[in-house]
Amino acid sequence: MPKLTITGKELGCSELPSLVETHEGFTGYTSRNDVLKTHIDARISGHIEANRLGDVNAKVRAGNYMEGPIGQMVLDKLNQFGKVTSEVPSEADRNPLVPGLGSSPDLYLTIEDSIEFKDNFQNSHTLTGKGLLEIKNSTIPGFPANVRIQVQGQMLCGEHSWCIVARLISGWDLQLYVEYPNREVQEKIEEAVIDFWNRVETEDYYDPDSSSEASRLIKGSGNTEPVDFSGNNQLPTLIHEWKANEKILKHSKQIKDDLEIHMKSILGSVEVGKCDNHEVRHTTVTYKSQPEKIVPAKEGYSTRRFGIKELSNE
């Protein structure tokens, strides 16, 4: 479904997995600071508007094209249990009690009377009235945490009592799951949304989730003259641990490489071998020659490089 929410003014529910922590951690495809930067940049540039075409990358574009056929597959299946109709949203769902959050549902479903069916977990459901259909095209079966967070946000925005999640796996296996509002999760969403917009207003980024993100977020002074941190009671220990772990990683990589060389020598020309309860593969992959490609333009950005070197005692 094309994006109906307004970047710089409201979060979309697909961004919530990056902001709401689950037992699996943050499950979004981008970091929470990336989401934050997107909305801060939209405000700074003045491009606060709905993006009705959605993202332009190939994966999202293909997913948008697939939603129609997958939605029809779901309707065909559900209509085996009763009369179900669908409607394409024309505007984002918004809940006035949760400002700063919007939802772009794939489809609204309306059930005449009721339907009963089992989902792919073999759980039985009886659904009535109006609800949501969220469509996913994937290669991985199941009902992942990031989708659960997204649809909890969607039900919160539209005050819906159920959402069917349809996942077409590997282009043929249609899997259906049902999610109901979970107040505990939705309270976490509300708290995350309030915190997020407070951070947008003050440009207060989250603690970095990775070393590379820290290099982008913690801006440098531009002065490369050394500053003495000898009086810092944490830095000496951190330097020692960093150097020790760097040696361990380098040694572990060398051990792994040596073991692989030995196993490849044992397999020889054999591409797939079995040993006890393991399968060892050393298969041939042939890549066709590729024509020269023009590298697309990229926006400039600043980051920082990190390293530690031991100084001489002179």
Side-chain angles (χ1 to χ4, degrees):
M1 177 69 198
K3 182 175 177 289
L4 302 175
T5 50
I6 304 173
T7 301
K9 185 177 180 181
E10 59 195 352
L11 281 162
C13 289
S14 62
E15 295 172 306
L16 291 175
S18 296
L19 306 176
V20 179
E21 192 167 12
T22 70
H23 66 282
E24 298 179 20
F26 297 101
T27 56
Y29 294 115
T30 58
S31 78
R32 49 192 179 162
N33 280 316
D34 286 338
V35 177
L36 187 58
K37 186 176 186 304
T38 296
H39 288 267
I40 290 174
D41 287 351
R43 288 198 169 190
I44 292 173
S45 66
H47 294 153
I48 301 177
E49 58 185 0
N51 177 9
R52 295 183 177 273
L53 297 177
D55 293 327
V56 296
N57 71 67
K59 184 176 181 180
V60 172
R61 188 162 54 246
N64 286 339
Y65 281 119
M66 290 293 292
E67 284 177 2
I70 297 173
Q72 189 58 55
M73 291 174 67
V74 175
L75 281 176
D76 291 346
K77 186 166 186 174
L78 294 180
N79 273 290
Q80 297 174 17
F81 311 112
K83 187 174 181 181
V84 183
T85 57
S86 67
E87 177 187 354
V88 178
S90 58
E91 295 292 337
D93 280 344
R94 299 178 176 95
N95 186 334
L97 298 178
V98 193
L101 180 66
S103 168
S104 305
D106 290 332
L107 287 174
Y108 298 123
L109 296 182
T110 301
I111 298 171
E112 188 176 305
D113 297 325
S114 67
I115 61 171
E116 296 182 18
F117 68 98
K118 289 186 176 181
D119 64 18
N120 269 68
F121 291 136
Q122 296 304 304
N123 295 324
S124 297
H125 302 275
T126 301
L127 302 181
T128 61
K130 187 175 180 179
L132 299 176
L133 174 62
E134 178 61 26
I135 297 168
K136 300 294 182 184
N137 184 30
S138 181
T139 57
I140 304 172
F143 192 4
N146 64 313
V147 179
R148 289 184 182 274
I149 294 294
Q150 178 183 347
V151 299
Q152 284 294 330
Q154 290 175 330
M155 289 186 288
L156 176 61
C157 286
E159 299 182 86
H160 295 285
S161 59
W162 52 265
C163 177
I164 295 176
V165 177
R167 306 191 78 229
L168 187 66
I169 308 301
S170 301
W172 65 272
D173 182 16
L174 182 64
Q175 299 184 355
L176 299 182
Y177 304 92
V178 180
E179 185 80 349
Y180 302 100
N182 182 313
R183 192 58 201 144
E184 182 180 349
V185 174
Q186 291 184 346
E187 285 178 354
K188 289 183 179 180
I189 290 173
E190 292 172 5
E191 292 169 2
V193 170
I194 292 171
D195 179 57
F196 179 85
W197 289 109
N198 286 338
R199 291 176 180 275
V200 170
E201 292 293 338
T202 58
E203 296 190 24
D204 177 22
Y205 283 88
Y206 300 93
D207 290 339
D209 290 328
S210 67
S211 177
S212 60
E213 188 171 78
S215 291
R216 293 197 308 271
L217 293 176
I218 304 172
K219 302 302 182 184
S221 67
N223 184 351
T224 57
E225 286 296 318
V227 176
D228 191 359
F229 279 86
S230 299
N232 186 286
N233 60 3
Q234 296 182 58
L235 200 53
T237 301
L238 293 172
I239 291 172
H240 176 75
E241 291 181 356
W242 186 90
K243 291 182 67 177
N245 278 281
E246 186 182 40
K247 288 180 180 178
I248 291 170
L249 287 171
K250 185 177 180 180
H251 184 59
S252 296
K253 183 180 184 303
Q254 186 60 55
I255 292 173
K256 181 172 177 284
D257 284 348
D258 291 344
L259 292 170
E260 287 183 5
I261 291 169
H262 196 173
M263 286 187 284
K264 289 173 183 179
S265 298
I266 292 172
L267 287 177
S269 62
V270 173
E271 302 231 345
V272 181
K274 288 184 177 181
C275 181
D276 297 330
N277 62 335
H278 292 87
E279 182 178 88
V280 184
R281 304 175 66 87
H282 189 205
T283 55
T284 302
V285 181
T286 303
Y287 296 95
K288 295 181 179 179
S289 60
Q290 297 288 331
E292 184 178 354
K293 292 183 179 179
I294 298 175
V295 178
K298 292 183 180 180
E299 291 186 9
Y301 68 97
S302 294
T303 186
R304 299 169 70 183
R305 293 191 180 95
F306 182 81
I308 297 175
K309 69 175 183 178
E310 191 163 355
L311 302 175
S312 65
N313 293 321
E314 296 178 3

